[in-house]
Amino acid sequence: MRVTLHQDKCVASGQCVLAAQDVFDQRDEDGVAVLLDDNPPAEAHDDVRHAAAVCPALAITLAES
Amino acid sequence: MNTTRNVVIVGASVAGLTTAVTLRTLGYDGRLTLIGDEPHTPYDRPPLSKQILAGTWEPDRITLRTDEELSALDAELLFGRSATGLDIAAGRVLLDGGDSVSYGSLVIATGVNPCRLPGTDLAGVHLLRTLDDALALRAALLRGPKVAVVGAGFLGAEAAAAARGMGLDVTLIDPRPVPMRRQFGDRVGALVGQLHQDHGVSVRCGTGVNQFLEIDGRVTGLELTDGIKLDADLVVVAVGAAPATGWLRGSGLLLTNGVECDATCRAAPGVYAAGDVASWHNSHFDAPMRLEHRLNATEQAQAVARNLLGEELPFAPVPYFWTDQYDARIQAYGVFPADADLAVLHGELENRRFVAAYGHRGRVVGVLGWNCPRELRKLRQLVVDRAPWSSIGAQECLTAAW
Ligand SMILES: Cc1cc2nc3c(=O)[nH]c(=O)nc-3n(C[C@H](O)[C@H](O)[C@H](O)COP(=O)(O)OP(=O)(O)OC[C@H]3O[C@@H](n4cnc5c(N)ncnc54)[C@H](O)[C@@H]3O)c2cc1C
Ligand code: SF4
């Protein structure tokens, strides 16, 4: 799985971090999401799918391999 | 397991589309029909009053799904069609033009319509709900008018900020004493008012509109309840919205405050509602709820898809909402009852960088952050836990904040 984060769309809601905290974090200054792992391990895939589905800015896209 | 093989969804915006996507993700392979009355490819609304009004984004950036993703849904897409009625006994949705679609399960996701005022039909008066509304308003703002915004909820406040960002003369009017009072109370509302004043908006809170002034059908200004007459070439009316349930009248569904549902978002056997139009019992707060929030539309649609396929679990989220005005990003988790107490947990109100907790009946029911996204996310847990108000160790406790 390849994760792409579109920071220009992110509204800093933090939903991705709540869903998958090993894969996403938020910048200190403005809360914009940062990607910790663009190729997360299989056990994180469900959480990452949930993060992408719930992101209120549609800022996370996934390419499933 | 519900054996439905024929799901019809009315309303093709975020709640309707998310229901469709989630059904397919969960493996539903029966018939799927998505009906929406807007002519555009489904798009997202929050950027309308932000990047689209400001002109920093083109409309193609706000589509909710690409054409490929839409066709991968393997759904019948009836876009540009309105549902005009519902016959529950026959299991049919009536459409404009006189035809109808039968369903095994129905999802109602028709959102809300903006409320109007006498005068809304005048030339120069704008509402803001759809992409077409936003583009028309942007084009009119580019002509450099003197602007009045009626209604200082989040939508009016964002529109005022966008117009000021274009260097225009802007007045923000609301009968309540401070902006966004209904959302967040007097203390935070006063800060929003100050923010707008600091950016050069003339804030006239505590006054309503008596009448719209016009010449030959075009607005020229407003007469306020304090007798003052205000010149304006452009008026934005943002005075709230009402659930889009007109097409459901006479169906037998209860439509008191939107489509009334149980805790699983079910309105009747085989009939569900999601998003802005849906009113349901949120068991986390033990309270009836209808939210006009972007994240709720997604989460409720996901819950409806699961429940429709047989999960039948209560939908009990901690609501999340945000608004962007100038350089301020205000974010909130939970609920904000009118008689809540307020305590600052991080930062300071005056610096406009803080997290505040709202307490009600001895529990933390909401946390609000102003330019503090990370701290706010961590403090959200207080709302999840319904933490005792006495336990939060507030730096500053402000009772009667409202
Ligand atoms: C300008 C603007 C800015 C916003 N900003 C924020 C924000 O910053 N943060 C936040 O949390 N929320 C924000 N929101 C709220 C958020 O956009 C809504 O909560 C969300 O759009 C709700 O989605 P929905 O699918 O339930 O309803 P809607 O988006 O209203 O979609 C309902 C759809 O159903 C269609 N429809 C209605 N009646 C019929 C019918 N009879 N037949 C067929 N189709 C029908 C409508 O045309 C519409 O396309 C904003 C809203 C607006 C308008
Ligand atoms: S969920 Fe989306 S909007 Fe929220 S922080 Fe993550 S990427 Fe940004």
Side-chain angles (χ1 to χ4, degrees):
Chain A
M1 174 190 274
R2 281 279 161 199
V3 186
T4 309
L5 174 69
H6 306 272
Q7 286 184 322
D8 53 335
K9 282 190 155 188
C10 170
V11 296
S13 72
Q15 295 299 317
C16 54
V17 190
L18 291 169
Q21 59 176 359
D22 294 336
V23 179
F24 302 98
D25 198 358
Q26 283 180 282
R27 289 202 299 234
D28 260 335
E29 64 275 23
D30 58 7
V32 166
V34 285
L35 194 54
L36 302 177
D37 185 352
D38 67 355
N39 184 13
E43 61 270 21
H45 287 189
D46 276 350
D47 290 344
V48 173
R49 283 188 201 107
H50 177 65
V54 89
C55 170
L58 302 173
I60 301 165
T61 47
L62 304 180
E64 304 263 0
S65 47
Chain B
M1 185 83 177
N2 187 323
T3 53
T4 186
R5 303 292 304 156
N6 181 16
V7 178
V8 171
I9 301 169
V10 184
S13 187
V14 62
L17 251 185
T18 304
T19 310
V21 169
T22 312
L23 283 170
R24 288 300 191 217
T25 307
L26 293 173
Y28 170 73
D29 60 1
R31 237 180 113 179
L32 188 57
T33 308
L34 191 54
I35 303 165
D37 61 5
E38 294 191 72
H40 303 283
T41 303
Y43 58 88
D44 207 13
R45 281 175 221 281
L48 295 180
S49 49
K50 306 174 184 73
Q51 294 90 340
I52 297 290
L53 261 197
T56 51
W57 284 12
E58 292 300 318
D60 59 4
R61 286 194 66 170
I62 64 168
T63 48
L64 286 167
R65 292 287 183 285
T66 61
D67 288 345
E68 299 83 75
E69 286 166 329
L70 284 178
S71 62
L73 270 180
D74 190 19
E76 189 166 355
L77 304 177
L78 301 180
F79 292 167
R81 302 292 310 273
S82 309
T84 54
L86 173 63
D87 183 341
I88 290 195
R92 298 188 85 79
V93 174
L94 315 181
L95 298 181
D96 54 355
D99 48 342
S100 66
V101 182
S102 66
Y103 64 82
S105 299
L106 175 69
V107 179
I108 298 167
T110 45
V112 293
N113 292 319
C115 298
R116 308 170 75 86
L117 292 174
T120 309
D121 292 332
L122 294 170
V125 179
H126 292 254
L127 297 168
L128 182 49
R129 180 78 195 167
T130 66
L131 175 58
D132 292 345
D133 291 342
L135 294 175
L137 177 54
R138 161 97 188 142
L141 290 171
L142 284 171
R143 283 178 222 124
K146 194 167 171 354
V147 178
V149 179
V150 182
F154 82 89
L155 198 57
E158 288 188 1
R164 261 317 284 158
M166 297 169 75
L168 301 173
D169 179 331
V170 180
T171 306
L172 182 59
I173 302 149
D174 197 295
R176 298 183 183 89
V178 294
M180 299 197 68
R181 180 176 203 251
R182 207 169 50 86
Q183 286 91 0
F184 299 133
D186 280 332
R187 290 297 298 249
V188 173
L191 296 176
V192 177
Q194 194 60 52
L195 173 75
H196 281 268
Q197 260 158 10
D198 291 353
H199 282 85
V201 171
S202 164
V203 178
R204 287 183 174 270
C205 284
T207 39
V209 174
N210 253 351
Q211 60 167 330
F212 286 63
L213 307 174
E214 54 136 337
I215 294 176
D216 296 336
R218 170 164 282 279
V219 75
T220 57
L222 299 169
E223 183 191 289
L224 304 183
T225 47
D226 58 9
I228 286 179
K229 288 187 178 156
L230 198 80
D231 291 338
D233 320 299
L234 187 155
V235 177
V236 180
V237 173
V239 292
T245 53
W247 65 285
L248 296 168
R249 234 172 273 136
S251 66
L253 293 179
L254 193 58
L255 305 172
T256 319
N257 172 26
V259 177
E260 299 290 337
C261 300
D262 66 12
T264 68
C265 307
R266 201 181 68 148
V271 180
Y272 296 81
D276 288 9
V277 76
S279 175
W280 88 107
H281 188 85
N282 184 331
S283 48
H284 184 73
F285 298 93
D286 192 19
M289 229 171 243
R290 187 177 68 76
L291 300 173
E292 297 178 12
H293 298 173
R294 173 64 179 77
L295 180 66
N296 183 67
T298 297
E299 292 187 327
Q300 195 164 22
Q302 293 172 336
V304 160
R306 290 192 301 266
N307 286 343
L308 194 156
L309 295 177
E311 188 173 274
E312 293 185 21
L313 285 179
F315 174 57
V318 169
Y320 169 76
F321 168 80
W322 85 96
T323 173
D324 297 336
Q325 300 165 29
Y326 314 102
D327 57 349
R329 172 161 284 156
I330 306 169
Q331 302 170 295
Y333 287 106
V335 296
F336 301 86
D339 53 346
D341 292 330
L342 189 135
V344 178
L345 302 183
H346 176 88
E348 283 170 49
L349 294 181
E350 290 66 30
N351 297 347
R352 293 194 211 130
R353 203 176 175 90
F354 63 87
V355 178
Y358 286 63
H360 195 236
R361 299 199 181 125
R363 300 278 162 182
V364 178
V365 294
V367 287
L368 177 143
W370 188 309
N371 283 347
C372 279
R374 278 190 106 213
E375 291 79 5
L376 178 72
R377 191 191 75 234
K378 292 174 194 152
L379 291 164
R380 168 185 182 271
Q381 194 61 32
L382 295 171
V383 187
V384 176
D385 296 342
R386 300 180 55 77
W389 187 244
S390 55
S391 75
I392 61 172
Q395 298 164 12
E396 184 194 358
C397 230
L398 311 156
T399 44
W402 296 72

